[in-house]
Amino acid sequence: MIEVLMLTAVLGAIWWLPATAEGHTLWQLLSHIAESSIVHFQWIWNRFLLNPLVF
C-alpha cells in the first residue's frame, strides 16, 4: 500500500511541480527533449538515408 502512495507522489511531482527556472515541469522538459530528438532523427532520415547520392 505504501508503495502505491509513493509511486503516486513521484508521478504527481513529475507532472505538476516545476523543475526548471522557467517553470516547466519535468514532464514538459522530457516531452521537449523527445520532440527535438524526433525532429533530428527525421532530418537525418530525410537528408542522408533517403538520398542515395550522399553515399
Side-chain angles (χ1 to χ4, degrees):
M1 181 67 182
I2 192 74
E3 294 86 7
V4 174
L5 292 175
M6 290 176 63
L7 179 63
T8 304
V10 169
L11 292 177
I14 289 172
W15 189 262
W16 286 299
L17 294 178
T20 65
E22 293 84 18
H24 295 285
T25 62
L26 188 57
W27 180 260
Q28 290 171 328
L29 184 65
L30 293 174
S31 68
H32 291 303
I33 291 171
E35 287 174 6
S36 65
S37 298
I38 291 169
V39 169
H40 186 71
F41 175 77
Q42 289 174 339
W43 180 82
I44 291 172
W45 181 264
N46 292 331
R47 178 77 175 164
F48 298 106
L49 299 178
L50 293 180
N51 188 356
L53 299 177
V54 171
F55 299 108

